[in-house]
Amino acid sequence: MRPLLTVPRRRLASAAVIALLAGTVPLLGGTSAGARPPSPAHCSTDPTARLAGVPSPEKVLGFPLGLGQQRVVTTDEVNTYLRAVDTASDRVVTGVLGSSVLGQPLPYAVVSNERNVRPSALRKIADDIRDLRDPRRTSRREAARTAADSPAIVWVAGNVHGGEKSGTDAALKTLYELAAGLSCAVAERNDNLVTVIVPTQNPDGRDASRRQNEFGFDLNRDWFARTQQETDSKLELMRRYPPQVFVDAHEMNGSQYFFPPNADPIHHEISGEAVDWINRIGEANKAGFGYNGACSDTVTTECYFNYARYDLFFMGYGDTVPATGFGAAGMTFEKGSASAVADRVQQQFHTQWSTLGWAAANRHEVLGDYYRIWTDALAQGRAGALEPNEVVQPTNEVQFPVPDLRIRSYFLLPHRQLADVRQLVERLRRMDVEVYEVQKETRVPTARIFGGRSARNVTVPEGAYWIPMDQPQKHWIQAIMGEDPYTPFPYFYDVSSWSNPLLMGVPTIYTGDDVRPKAQLVRRIAGGATGHATARGSYGYRLDSAAAAEFTFRLLGRGVRLVRDVDTAVVRLPATALTRDVDGLAESLGVTLTPGGPATGTPLSRPDVGLFSGAGISTTSGSHGEARYVLGKRWGLDLTPVTTADINDNTPAFTDRTVLVVPDGSNPTGGLTAAGQANLRAWVAQGHTYVGLRNEGTRLARAAGLTSTTEKPKPGPDAYQVIGSHLRVDVDHDSPVASGRPAEDFQFNNSDPILTASTTGTNVLSYPTGETFWANGYTVGADTLRGTVAVVDEPTGAGRAVLFASNPLFRAYNENGLHLVANALLYPATGAGPAGRTAPPSAPGVDPARARAAAAPVAEDLGGGWRPITVGVASGDLARARAIVERFTGEARVSTAGDAAYLVIPNREGRQADEHPFLGDVVRALRESGVPLRSLVA
């Protein structure tokens, strides 16, 4: 048995290997890195030999793919070509893994040799690979037999960003070569691999030439949460065919090409084997790339680069989740979109083909090491050991090591937010994590409580959920459950905290003690009615979670009469309303229905929601799309678009609504005139609710005289950085917005506006001023937030404005934020009649404190819906760094602190790093000029 924590060293680029492979020609018969297996007995030495019966792309589409290609393939043509190849080739089977938001199919193809794609053989291959993932049921001898006899599984997926199209076309070219080719290179790939090809992961975005899906979600940030149906169905197919290698083909700006080795940071729970494979595949891609080879000072187009820009850290990517959740060599390939179509597709094909060649040549080693990944995970989990932090870039050093910490178990406690606790259990189970329900209370001698606290002799009650770490998915458990991701190096392409218990705000502890409670494996979600109420009785549930909120809105949409006790957050429905469908809905959401007496309390009404789509709002991305998804699709609410003109002119599209949701955007007034601001105040005073999110949502309210909060200027990057982190907040239950939340909660902050406390309303969520203040992830100067607020409830007349400094709908995975939004939408009536029933009163006068807030200067918005780019270098390198940055923009702000210097580049359109027009060029230019990056936040 291998010693604990012994894994292959993560290999860096080897100059000797590069030299050895440099002469390789990027043809179908080209040599891949690593020792080749023997050539099959019946294959052609002619790399162009193909089966005549399998139609070429040119025959079906009317044009070639790659060299000679003049335009990209349409979504309909993707489907047509897959069908044509499936019909003609005995090496291919196709299927549909799911559908897009607009109902388009998400097709896939499985290609291998004729024997492997027979249904019984394909099932056995998939079963054998899945068995490698659980050494408890697979002996070493069985694993060795699988490694010797079974093909490995490689995935090639394209077009997760709809406008990045060349990966799709290249995947179709790869499919054709595997389906039709007669060369030994093709036979080696088909004999040694089962290749799963998903040409387009985002057909709706492809058709619209838009990065996001129809709801405005970036599908390459959705992998752990699986909120979007495109992501969810793909991951189910991955569980069926677990990959050892996963290629996610993208495009970027410029005319260069990126493939790994990655930039730091790399998440510590990604196995050494997977990183080793990734780096060695990089060597194969270097050898097979062709074109102009490696980029340099003199070679700047149609060339490749490594390291710079693309990390392997956040658990929402199409490389990190295959790597951590499936033990695969998960890789992002990026081709510059400025190149001609033919070059984009051909270069994507070269890297796909070289990757398949490496995987085929190293199949036996990969499958043997694949088994070892899960064996090591079991041993580490049993010992409570976390993987250490490492870096792969030769010029970097680990700045923040993983602490000396033992974690053998996580416990999700059942005393509050139970439906969201159960949703987290289901999220874990759907990634093959074993979760147990505690059958008898147990004592944990030493426990850590989420939020940076510890306790002794903690009693874990019956009904809690236990997640032991001594199971194969130990790496995945820690990656999404961990209280902190422990970044090794301050380079941030995305957020620095995604701890699922913190996102959901559910009570969680973890321990290094070897505790073994009496517990039963969870096999299905719990929920639904626990008994029978009398005909005049009712069923009650706590509206204290996002899942319970969804249940509530769904019932209201069905016309079910609901009443609520705001103080206890208990909602009741008449016993006669409990149909089989309603009970099934409750169970699917993890909501327990408890029988009781007659339903008494304050009636709940289904809100009539207007969604602001006026000046400054992007309707194809960001929180507008997130509102359409959460409020519209999941909660089933009707959303009426409300424009700037609707408010300025007081049209029925605005005045007939009971709630107005203003998403994040770029216009501090939303384009409202003075008359429009008066109309808004009058509408709120009539008894309606304004819900404002982040920048535009809070600033529009302030400009209209609806809040006394002001926005504090953010200190410079040397003194303040909050990079998608979690912080503790105090909760004021004087507002119904806080109903069902605990006295202390967690707030996700991604460089959000810093709001002063309101003097005219209730500060629903406030950052503590004392010793309970706590932050995780990566922060600098988080103390700046002490005493400021995250959510305020501002009354005006019979109505109110509920303002969120953050975006509580962020990626639809911030469940405690979703619950707060639901509470705002269900705010108890305070005396006004239904919308549109009475003539609106004249606008109320503006409170002096609110008038002062409205007159205050508007804070400069450097980050848009995301955040500005901050480049950190040594002060001695500032002059060189500044000169490089000024090649691309003259707007960079410069600051210094001691031996550190920072250049802040405005990002007013809120672009993320991989869609920014010149960030990648800046990073590469700094690296090529020998300017070391101390940090990068993008």
Side-chain angles (χ1 to χ4, degrees):
M1 185 172 180
R2 300 175 72 241
L4 182 64
L5 291 173
T6 302
V7 293
R9 185 180 177 185
R10 294 176 177 175
R11 304 183 186 184
L12 303 180
S14 162
V17 173
I18 294 172
L20 179 65
L21 298 175
T24 302
V25 179
L27 298 175
L28 294 185
T31 303
S32 66
R36 278 188 169 280
S39 296
H42 304 290
C43 62
S44 173
T45 57
D46 178 4
T48 65
R50 298 181 179 91
L51 292 167
V54 179
S56 68
E58 192 164 11
K59 183 175 181 179
V60 176
L61 305 175
F63 56 88
L65 297 177
L67 298 178
Q69 185 176 351
Q70 298 297 312
R71 68 168 177 85
V72 295
V73 178
T74 67
T75 301
D76 286 343
E77 288 170 337
V78 170
N79 298 330
T80 298
Y81 190 66
L82 284 177
R83 286 193 297 268
V85 174
D86 184 15
T87 300
S89 176
D90 292 336
R91 304 175 187 173
V92 176
V93 293
T94 62
V96 175
L97 61 90
S99 62
S100 70
V101 173
L102 294 180
Q104 295 199 74
L106 296 169
Y108 68 92
V110 178
V111 57
S112 188
N113 66 32
E114 295 87 343
R115 299 183 306 278
N116 290 338
V117 297
R118 293 171 185 162
S120 59
L122 196 55
R123 280 195 301 272
K124 184 177 188 308
I125 291 166
D127 289 344
D128 288 345
I129 297 297
R130 284 196 298 271
D131 284 346
L132 290 180
R133 300 179 69 202
D134 193 347
R136 297 168 304 180
R137 69 180 185 219
T138 306
S139 68
R140 289 186 183 181
R141 179 174 296 179
E142 291 168 328
R145 186 181 305 119
T146 297
D149 299 340
S150 176
I153 299 177
V154 176
W155 277 58
V156 176
N159 204 199
V160 71
H161 293 144
E164 302 171 9
K165 302 181 180 183
S166 60
T168 297
D169 300 25
L172 295 180
K173 183 175 176 70
T174 296
L175 173 63
Y176 171 63
E177 299 297 347
L178 293 174
L182 295 171
S183 72
C184 294
V186 170
E188 287 164 1
R189 286 162 172 80
N190 282 337
D191 288 350
N192 287 281
L193 304 175
V194 168
T195 303
V196 180
I197 294 175
V198 181
T200 174
Q201 303 168 72
N202 184 6
D204 298 346
R206 184 180 184 88
D207 290 349
S209 293
R210 180 185 63 234
R211 176 184 177 91
Q212 299 85 1
N213 77 343
E214 183 63 21
F215 281 124
F217 277 66
D218 185 333
L219 296 179
N220 201 38
R221 304 296 187 272
D222 186 50
W223 280 71
F224 81 74
R226 302 171 63 164
T227 68
Q228 300 304 288
Q229 60 197 66
E230 296 95 337
T231 312
D232 187 63
S233 56
K234 174 176 58 188
L235 277 158
E236 284 304 293
L237 189 66
M238 289 176 69
R239 292 176 70 195
R240 182 176 168 191
Y241 298 113
Q244 287 72 69
V245 175
F246 189 99
V247 173
D248 197 19
H250 291 250
E251 289 184 6
M252 59 182 179
N253 293 293
S255 59
Q256 299 180 355
Y257 198 106
F258 167 83
F259 51 78
N262 295 91
D264 291 316
I266 292 178
H267 195 279
H268 64 95
E269 286 295 332
I270 295 175
S271 72
E273 288 89 348
V275 176
D276 178 61
W277 301 340
I278 289 168
N279 294 342
R280 290 164 62 192
I281 291 170
E283 300 299 334
N285 283 331
K286 291 175 185 179
F289 184 78
Y291 281 81
N292 293 332
C295 300
S296 66
D297 290 341
T298 56
V299 178
T300 58
T301 62
E302 311 310 333
C303 55
Y304 68 80
F305 67 94
N306 319 113
Y307 295 120
R309 189 170 175 180
Y310 297 100
D311 67 345
L312 198 64
F313 187 62
F314 169 59
M315 284 297 137
Y317 297 150
D319 50 14
T320 53
V321 172
T324 317
F326 293 90
M331 296 173 294
T332 293
F333 293 173
E334 297 267 359
K335 171 57 193 163
S337 59
S339 298
V341 172
D343 294 327
R344 299 205 308 268
V345 175
Q346 191 67 28
Q347 289 172 32
Q348 295 271 30
F349 170 71
H350 283 180
T351 55
Q352 292 177 17
W353 196 253
S354 296
T355 298
L356 292 173
W358 182 91
N362 294 278
R363 175 198 61 79
H364 186 274
E365 175 194 348
V366 166
L367 290 179
D369 282 353
Y370 193 67
Y371 179 70
R372 188 172 295 121
I373 288 171
W374 311 104
T375 303
D376 286 346
L378 275 170
Q380 291 169 20
R382 194 171 299 118
L386 305 184
E387 289 268 28
N389 265 335
E390 297 181 19
V391 294
V392 296
Q393 289 181 255
T395 57
N396 290 342
E397 296 180 357
V398 172
Q399 294 190 25
F400 309 107
V402 174
D404 184 13
L405 182 66
R406 299 280 166 181
I407 303 178
R408 286 188 169 93
S409 296
Y410 285 92
F411 288 95
L412 301 172
L413 305 181
H415 58 276
R416 60 176 174 83
Q417 280 73 53
L418 180 57
D420 281 348
V421 166
R422 289 170 172 165
Q423 291 300 310
L424 179 50
V425 168
E426 288 304 290
R427 183 179 291 173
L428 290 164
R429 289 193 338 108
R430 295 185 73 226
M431 281 293 286
D432 303 305
V433 174
E434 295 162 3
V435 183
Y436 298 80
E437 184 174 354
V438 175
Q439 303 295 300
K440 181 180 179 181
E441 72 174 38
T442 190
R443 184 177 63 86
V444 176
T446 56
R448 292 176 179 265
I449 304 168
F450 269 58
R453 293 170 173 156
S454 59
R456 292 190 175 277
N457 296 319
V458 175
T459 297
V460 174
E462 178 184 349
Y465 291 95
W466 173 45
I467 306 152
M469 293 286 272
D470 60 338
Q471 59 176 297
Q473 280 289 52
K474 173 261 179 180
H475 295 311
W476 181 248
I477 295 168
Q478 184 59 28
I480 71 162
M481 291 288 292
E483 189 178 21
D484 197 291
Y486 305 123
T487 177
F489 187 82
Y491 178 112
F492 293 100
Y493 195 37
D494 204 82
V495 300
S496 70
S497 176
W498 55 88
S499 169
N500 279 216
L502 293 175
L503 284 168
M504 289 187 160
V506 297
T508 308
I509 66 171
Y510 56 103
T511 182
D513 298 332
D514 189 8
V515 292
R516 300 282 166 175
K518 181 181 179 182
Q520 185 173 11
L521 182 67
V522 176
R523 299 189 183 277
R524 59 179 294 177
I525 190 170
T530 60
H532 297 284
T534 65
R536 299 192 179 198
S538 66
Y539 291 92
Y541 63 91
R542 283 182 57 79
L543 178 48
D544 65 349
S545 61
E550 182 171 344
F551 182 63
T552 301
F553 288 122
R554 289 292 179 185
L555 292 185
L556 291 173
R558 298 181 184 202
V560 176
R561 183 174 62 86
L562 300 177
V563 295
R564 174 177 63 169
D565 182 328
V566 175
D567 293 333
T568 63
V570 172
V571 174
R572 293 200 166 274
L573 62 148
T576 54
L578 185 66
T579 64
R580 181 176 297 178
D581 286 346
V582 168
D583 194 39
L585 178 63
E587 181 179 357
S588 70
L589 292 169
V591 176
T592 294
L593 302 177
T594 304
T600 59
T602 304
L604 286 175
S605 299
R606 186 170 185 256
D608 185 344
V609 181
L611 181 59
F612 187 64
S613 307
I617 302 295
S618 168
T619 59
T620 60
S621 63
S623 60
H624 186 281
E626 290 155 353
R628 288 191 290 116
Y629 169 70
V630 174
L631 278 64
K633 181 176 176 62
R634 279 177 50 177
W635 294 352
L637 299 175
D638 298 323
L639 304 179
T640 301
V642 176
T643 67
T644 300
D646 288 327
I647 300 176
N648 285 339
D649 298 338
N650 236 22
T651 71
F654 163 55
T655 58
D656 284 356
R657 311 281 74 80
T658 61
V659 175
L660 178 66
V661 175
V662 179
D664 190 13
S666 59
N667 191 312
T669 66
L672 298 189
T673 61
Q677 292 172 345
N679 291 339
L680 181 59
R681 289 196 304 275
W683 175 84
V684 171
Q686 194 182 359
H688 303 138
T689 300
Y690 173 103
V691 179
L693 312 185
R694 205 169 184 259
N695 290 316
E696 183 159 343
T698 58
R699 291 167 181 168
L700 190 157
R702 185 176 301 111
L706 293 173
T707 180
S708 58
T709 64
T710 58
E711 193 171 331
K712 292 177 61 175
K714 293 173 185 169
D718 59 308
Y720 182 76
Q721 294 184 56
V722 178
I723 313 302
S725 306
H726 278 98
L727 299 98
R728 181 180 286 113
V729 286
D730 293 327
V731 180
D732 189 337
H733 287 92
D734 285 346
S735 167
V737 176
S739 178
R741 299 311 304 175
E744 294 180 333
D745 215 340
F746 298 106
Q747 173 67 30
F748 180 79
N749 188 312
N750 189 30
S751 195
D752 297 324
I754 305 174
L755 302 185
T756 61
S758 170
T759 60
T760 56
T762 302
N763 297 301
V764 182
L765 299 185
S766 303
Y767 295 103
T769 57
E771 61 183 14
T772 61
F773 186 86
W774 175 85
N776 84 333
Y778 183 79
T779 63
V780 174
D783 284 347
T784 300
L785 292 170
R786 289 176 182 268
T788 66
V789 296
V791 181
V792 296
D793 176 1
E794 295 272 20
T796 294
R800 79 289 310 158
V802 180
L803 307 181
F804 293 82
S806 67
N807 171 16
L809 305 177
F810 182 68
R811 295 176 178 167
Y813 64 40
N814 184 25
E815 280 81 0
N816 59 358
L818 269 58
H819 177 216
L820 292 167
V821 171
N823 282 345
L825 300 185
L826 295 169
Y827 205 105
T830 53
R837 297 279 181 89
T838 59
S842 58
V846 177
D847 180 275
R850 294 179 177 179
R852 289 192 297 272
V858 177
E860 187 175 21
D861 183 7
L862 297 180
W866 187 237
R867 60 193 181 217
I869 296 161
T870 303
V871 178
V873 298
S875 56
D877 292 323
L878 175 59
R880 286 193 299 154
R882 186 173 191 171
I884 291 168
V885 170
E886 286 177 348
R887 295 182 208 164
F888 303 93
T889 176
E891 288 194 282
R893 318 293 173 83
V894 176
S895 63
T896 59
D899 66 345
Y902 300 89
L903 296 97
V904 177
I905 301 171
N907 182 25
R908 295 185 179 88
E909 294 183 353
R911 294 183 183 271
Q912 296 197 4
D914 52 346
E915 60 177 334
H916 193 274
F918 60 78
L919 173 62
D921 295 328
V922 168
V923 173
R924 285 193 294 276
L926 289 167
R927 184 164 171 260
E928 289 165 1
S929 299
V931 178
L933 280 176
R934 286 192 170 184
S935 64
L936 178 67
V937 175

